[in-house]
Amino acid sequence: MIKEIIVVEGKDDTTAIKRAVEADTIETGGSAIGEAVLKRIELAKERRGVIIFTDPDHAGERIRKIVASRVPGCKHAFLSQEEALYKSDIGVENASPEAIRRALSKLRTEFDGTVAASGPAVTWNDLMAAGLIVHPDAAWRRLTMGNLLGIGYANGKQFYKRCTMFQISLDEFQEAYAVMEQKKSDTAGGESK
């Protein structure tokens, strides 16, 4: 049984989570999160801890931001869009039990300023040097790096914020960068990204 309560968007997400692990969930009911739901999430954070596990799309990111700003210090689980895709629908409910367990094994916790970082922090210049911003393939590179780092896809500004929020060390960043470059060179013989 997972100790923390997992915040998901709807009933189908709860069903998918329960197929993968034994856990309790709180459903937001979509992006129009009501005050009563936010209060339940606050209580859950206080009593057991909270894992935010929303869809890897715009609406899911909006919900993640609303909950994280109201209830700081939550843990976060991320799926790649590929893992959550069925036909043209992207959602946690489409992910395999293995993908859900993998995402839950790679939780990221928000940095609240009380713990020292595990090494040098990633800077804006590091993102530029890695081609994650101001680069023709920046979106693909952020998607790949976000999946490798377990922080999901985000635009350049949000990617930098997540690196800071989740205390991504420069070593972690450079390891993920090396894997991304290897993936890119492995696919260079065929289609270019």
Side-chain angles (χ1 to χ4, degrees):
M1 171 90 174
I2 293 179
K3 175 188 158 228
E4 298 89 352
I5 296 175
I6 302 174
V7 174
V8 296
E9 295 179 45
K11 287 186 277 186
D12 292 339
D13 298 333
T14 291
T15 301
I17 295 292
K18 290 183 185 258
R19 274 195 311 258
V21 295
E22 189 178 337
D24 294 320
T25 62
I26 294 175
E27 297 163 6
T28 66
S31 59
I33 305 170
E35 185 63 24
V37 171
L38 288 169
K39 286 187 178 194
R40 279 203 327 267
I41 295 170
E42 286 175 327
L43 180 61
K45 167 72 172 58
E46 183 182 307
R47 302 278 172 96
R48 292 177 50 189
V50 166
I51 299 169
I52 303 172
F53 200 173
T54 56
D55 297 347
D57 60 9
H58 180 72
E61 286 306 309
R62 182 175 180 278
I63 293 166
R64 186 180 297 277
K65 285 180 191 173
I66 290 168
V67 174
S69 68
R70 175 73 178 261
V71 187
C74 292
K75 294 179 181 177
H76 295 257
F78 294 92
L79 286 170
S80 69
Q81 289 187 341
E82 293 79 22
E83 292 171 315
L85 183 65
Y86 177 72
K87 296 186 180 176
S88 62
D89 180 47
I90 293 176
V92 170
E93 72 273 11
N94 301 322
S96 69
E98 295 78 26
I100 290 170
R101 285 191 290 271
R102 191 170 39 254
L104 289 169
S105 74
K106 296 179 180 180
L107 293 175
R108 291 290 185 171
T109 305
E110 293 175 41
F111 174 60
D112 63 4
T114 60
V115 179
S118 59
V122 176
T123 66
W124 187 258
N125 287 337
D126 293 326
L127 267 62
M128 287 188 72
L132 302 181
I133 49 178
V134 193
H135 187 281
D137 295 329
W140 176 84
R141 295 170 80 84
R142 284 191 310 273
L143 175 65
T144 303
M145 287 285 284
N147 289 338
L148 290 168
L149 292 168
I151 62 174
Y153 174 77
N155 66 30
K157 189 175 175 181
Q158 285 299 316
F159 193 92
Y160 178 68
K161 185 176 178 181
R162 284 186 186 174
C163 285
T164 303
M165 180 171 68
F166 296 123
Q167 293 187 293
I168 302 298
S169 72
L170 191 53
D171 287 344
E172 280 180 282
F173 184 83
Q174 289 170 337
E175 286 173 23
Y177 177 76
V179 171
M180 177 187 69
E181 287 299 305
Q182 184 60 47
K183 281 184 178 188
K184 188 171 183 185
S185 72
D186 289 348
T187 61
E191 176 182 341
S192 178
K193 292 278 179 202

